[in-house]
Amino acid sequence: MERTDTIKSCDNRAHVYKNYGAVQGRSQKKYAIIIKRIIREQRGSWTRVLDTVDHDELVYKLTLKYLRQRGYDI
């Protein structure tokens, strides 16, 4: 029983979702940066997107969502 309490306390996803509005704001800013690079260079790269979002999984997923909404085939 004690072990599951420890696992729950180590789970950082609960912390991330509490600040979902802030995460959306960060992902929209990163999305703008990525779009400028894609337009300027006429190509994109998964590694470059991941580096741009500082390897933050939730920001990465939201950024990809915004790219799909813009019409990019991901």
Side-chain angles (χ1 to χ4, degrees):
M1 186 167 190
E2 199 172 315
R3 182 171 180 202
T4 57
D5 293 338
T6 304
I7 291 172
K8 287 181 182 178
S9 67
C10 293
D11 189 0
N12 64 0
R13 289 179 292 175
H15 176 71
V16 171
Y17 288 112
K18 287 180 184 175
N19 298 320
Y20 189 73
V23 172
Q24 279 185 311
R26 282 197 329 244
S27 62
Q28 288 173 349
K29 289 177 185 176
K30 300 295 183 174
Y31 163 75
I33 293 169
I34 292 167
I35 287 296
K36 288 178 186 175
R37 285 184 182 168
I38 289 173
I39 292 171
R40 182 179 64 224
E41 299 173 6
Q42 294 298 317
R43 62 188 173 106
S45 127
W46 297 112
T47 306
R48 193 167 283 192
V49 172
L50 195 56
D51 288 341
T52 303
V53 299
D54 300 323
H55 297 268
D56 186 328
E57 182 182 357
L58 188 56
V59 175
Y60 179 74
K61 288 180 179 181
L62 284 171
T63 303
L64 294 181
K65 174 186 171 183
Y66 300 145
L67 287 169
R68 279 189 216 102
Q69 287 176 347
R70 176 122 182 203
Y72 288 93
D73 186 21
I74 295 176

